[in-house]
Amino acid sequence: MNYLLRSSTLEESDLPLLAVGVTKHEKQLPPALAALDARAGGVLARACAGDFTGGRDETSLLYLPGAEPRRVLLVGVGKLEELPLIGGLARPVAVRNAIRRAAAIAARRARALGTGAVAFAMPAELRSGVGAQDFAQAAVEGLAQGAWQFDELKSPSGERKPPVTDLTVVVEPAEESAARRGFAVGRAVAEGQALARRLQALPPNQCTPALLADTARQLGAAHGFAVTVLEREQMQQEGMGALLAVAQGSVTEPRFIIIEYRGAGAAPPVALVGKGITFDTGGISIKPAAQMEEMKYDMSGAAAVLGAFEALGRLKPKINVVGLIPSTDNMPSGSAVRPSDVVTSHSGKQIEIVNTDAEGRLILADALSYARRFKPAAVLDAATLTGAVIIALGHAASAVMGTDEALIEEVRRAGDRAGERVWPLPMYDEFRELNKSDIADVKNSGGRPAGTITAGWFLREFAEGYPWVHIDVAGTAYSDVDAPPLPKGPAGVPTRLFVEFLLGRAG
Ligand code: BES
Ligand code: MN
Ligand code: ZN
């Protein structure tokens, strides 16, 4: 992908497709677009006086007379004074998110058109106070999000439209230096998220724990991270009995991946932990066949951790970060763990495995316990952990829980700013009771009621000695429907949240 920041007035543009974010208006051209309209022979004014109202996701594709820009795509961002501010969302943040969304819509349209390139602009007068830096970041993130596609595994075909390979953000010359900073951050975030989405999209016969480990090593070589990879034998030495219990049913070799970025000397690191189940059949507690193929996305947490490290490598912020990825697939077999087996976890706690499909919390338990050795300032884990979170929040937000209210709030703010919403669920003591085992310290399923929170409570038994937050991304990491602005498939959530959180901490 080629990323370009260009400073010029809109009417000077010489691009095959210039998308312009436009706010909701009453049947008239916003004055900020007058010069471009003059260049366009009045066709923008006619569109704005006609069908195009600037409502969210609305688009109007205009072909201009004469030379470039050949096409102008008006993209509605809606009425910025009326964006819903749920959960204390700040208006400028909501506006940035609307800009990111419009840019993504524009890039998706470019894909459909086959233009190969797309530029996005929005006059400062229409941005309701969002400055050039934030605009450029949101715009490039949105463009990359919309342009992303995965066709590595399709044979070449003359019938397919060419991919979008050139993403341009256009700002006024006076905005250039401020825009450059936001653009660099947005580009790094976008490249991280694209890596996460590619890993998610890869099928589980290719995206194995070994491939995730190789990806970490490649990131290490490219950016100077220290990478350590534990194999089955070393996991045994470490006493990772919960992770090994999940892995014991599979011929695929598990990996425990440790990736370390140092940007702040000896300061305590933030640890990012990602669930890396490369395929979840459920094991002996096997899942129904319908939609089981979606369980290739059960490594989405791991993908987001690796995506965040890609962004860290490009931005080199002043912070220390450790990534921890427990990875295996979850298979039924003659050697698989049985419902009622009891295993000794890395922490020493005894776990009764009553449901082999509650495997994510098992592998994360050992990773959270392992995290203690880094004396982390905070630990964030991301996991496609429960189907129940989709019942609670649908696909509109990830659930967040933790041991530290301030940290939960910090993660919420990072999610808002990144356009990857999270919403808190209450860790009432009552829910802890549901995980009590008759014969061991804890059991790995508390049943159906409050299934997302009992999963959170299970993790909490192992997240000792540091502030901790858990993000359940089962409803947000991928989409099973095609909807604006995201296509069906992997979303790369919560890569942007992770990066936003880390940059916020780095100051
Ligand atoms: N990977 C699944 C959760 C999931 C469900 C992710 C739907 C994405 C979409 C997880 O390992 C799982 O199977 N959870 C069980 C837990 C239950 C057995 C306590 C679930 O949610 O049903
Ligand atoms: Mn499962
Ligand atoms: Zn799972």
Side-chain angles (χ1 to χ4, degrees):
M1 195 66 80
N2 302 312
Y3 295 83
L4 237 102
L5 178 68
R6 182 193 158 97
S7 63
S8 73
T9 60
L10 294 187
E11 57 280 13
E12 282 166 357
S13 162
D14 56 358
L15 302 152
L17 172 63
L18 173 66
V20 184
V22 183
T23 48
K24 184 115 176 138
H25 51 264
E26 300 299 334
K27 294 277 168 203
Q28 75 212 10
L29 182 79
L33 297 176
L36 180 61
D37 183 52
R39 154 76 190 85
V43 59
L44 271 71
R46 284 202 294 284
C48 288
D51 303 330
F52 181 76
T53 73
R56 187 176 84 161
D57 298 350
E58 221 181 283
T59 59
S60 185
L61 179 62
L62 309 170
Y63 289 83
L64 270 50
E68 312 285 5
R70 233 166 340 133
R71 307 176 192 80
V72 167
L73 179 71
L74 304 178
V75 187
V77 296
K79 208 178 193 80
L80 300 182
E81 303 77 41
E82 286 175 12
L83 291 172
L85 303 177
I86 293 167
L89 187 68
R91 182 168 310 281
V93 176
V95 173
R96 279 175 47 174
N97 292 343
I99 292 169
R100 188 190 295 103
R101 181 182 179 107
I105 301 268
R108 286 196 69 184
R109 190 63 170 272
R111 267 181 61 184
L113 289 166
T115 55
V118 58
F120 187 82
M122 187 167 174
E125 296 91 312
L126 298 184
R127 296 194 315 238
S128 182
V130 167
Q133 178 172 347
D134 287 344
F135 167 72
Q137 182 180 345
V140 68
E141 287 175 7
L143 285 175
Q145 182 184 310
W148 183 86
Q149 63 189 66
F150 181 79
D151 46 20
E152 287 171 38
L153 305 181
K154 283 184 190 279
S155 304
S157 145
E159 274 149 54
R160 264 203 323 281
K161 293 275 166 63
V164 177
T165 54
D166 292 86
L167 306 178
T168 304
V169 174
V170 184
V171 294
E172 294 280 337
E175 297 182 312
E176 187 180 345
S177 71
R180 198 152 292 288
R181 267 171 283 148
F183 186 82
V185 174
R187 177 190 172 155
V189 169
E191 307 241 38
Q193 190 144 43
L195 170 64
R197 291 171 85 180
R198 174 175 180 272
L199 292 170
Q200 288 180 287
L202 282 172
N205 59 333
Q206 298 186 23
C207 184
T208 57
L211 180 116
L212 293 178
D214 287 343
T215 303
R217 287 195 193 96
Q218 280 160 19
L219 288 172
H223 301 300
F225 308 136
V227 177
T228 313
V229 177
L230 309 186
E231 305 198 353
R232 213 188 281 261
E233 202 168 292
Q234 293 149 301
M235 294 176 206
Q236 271 150 7
Q237 286 158 12
E238 274 291 343
M240 296 179 161
L243 170 54
L244 285 165
V246 179
Q248 79 188 40
S250 183
V251 294
T252 307
E253 286 301 316
R255 295 284 187 271
F256 188 89
I257 304 160
I258 304 137
I259 176 166
E260 294 172 81
Y261 164 70
R262 265 193 190 286
V270 169
L272 302 179
V273 182
K275 174 177 174 181
I277 294 289
T278 54
F279 194 79
D280 182 10
T281 67
I284 297 299
S285 313
I286 197 163
K287 288 180 181 296
Q291 268 92 59
M292 199 202 275
E293 69 274 18
E294 289 180 8
M295 286 302 121
K296 75 170 181 175
Y297 296 129
D298 217 14
M299 37 55 73
S300 297
V305 171
L306 293 172
F309 271 84
E310 170 70 41
L312 283 175
R314 288 168 178 271
L315 294 171
K316 301 268 192 295
K318 291 189 172 62
I319 188 171
N320 293 331
V321 189
V322 179
L324 298 175
I325 297 174
S327 184
T328 175
D329 54 11
N330 184 24
M331 300 292 284
S333 78
S335 64
V337 72
R338 290 162 290 251
S340 78
D341 278 354
V342 174
V343 300
T344 306
S345 70
H346 183 266
S347 75
K349 285 189 179 161
Q350 299 286 326
I351 304 171
E352 182 189 8
I353 299 176
V354 295
N355 189 321
T356 66
D357 198 11
E359 84 299 337
R361 63 197 78 181
L362 293 171
I363 69 169
L364 289 170
D366 281 352
L368 290 170
S369 170
Y370 188 89
R372 284 177 299 181
R373 75 182 55 190
F374 298 98
K375 302 199 169 26
V379 177
L380 273 51
D381 81 67
T384 46
L385 203 64
T386 65
V389 77
I390 305 173
I391 306 302
L393 297 171
H395 305 284
S398 311
V400 64
M401 281 152 273
T403 49
D404 185 299
E405 291 301 323
L407 183 60
I408 292 172
E409 196 45 40
E410 194 179 351
V411 169
R412 278 200 58 196
R413 270 206 316 278
D416 279 352
R417 293 173 63 81
E420 294 182 338
R421 278 189 301 226
V422 300
W423 194 261
L425 294 181
M427 296 198 88
Y428 299 133
D429 287 343
E430 287 94 310
F431 298 132
R432 184 182 194 183
E433 304 303 309
L434 299 174
N435 291 334
K436 286 244 158 89
S437 164
D438 293 336
I439 67 161
D441 296 321
V442 64
K443 62 180 177 181
N444 78 327
S445 169
R448 283 167 61 86
T452 303
I453 308 178
T454 53
W457 256 115
F458 181 90
L459 297 181
R460 184 166 169 170
E461 306 291 348
F462 303 89
E464 285 178 330
Y466 47 71
W468 160 79
V469 154
H470 159 61
I471 307 168
D472 192 332
V473 294
T476 49
Y478 65 94
S479 174
D480 46 18
V481 293
D482 205 49
L486 271 174
K488 181 176 179 218
V493 171
T495 307
R496 294 204 307 260
L497 180 154
F498 277 159
V499 179
E500 181 68 37
F501 177 90
L502 296 171
L503 294 182
R505 284 243 160 166

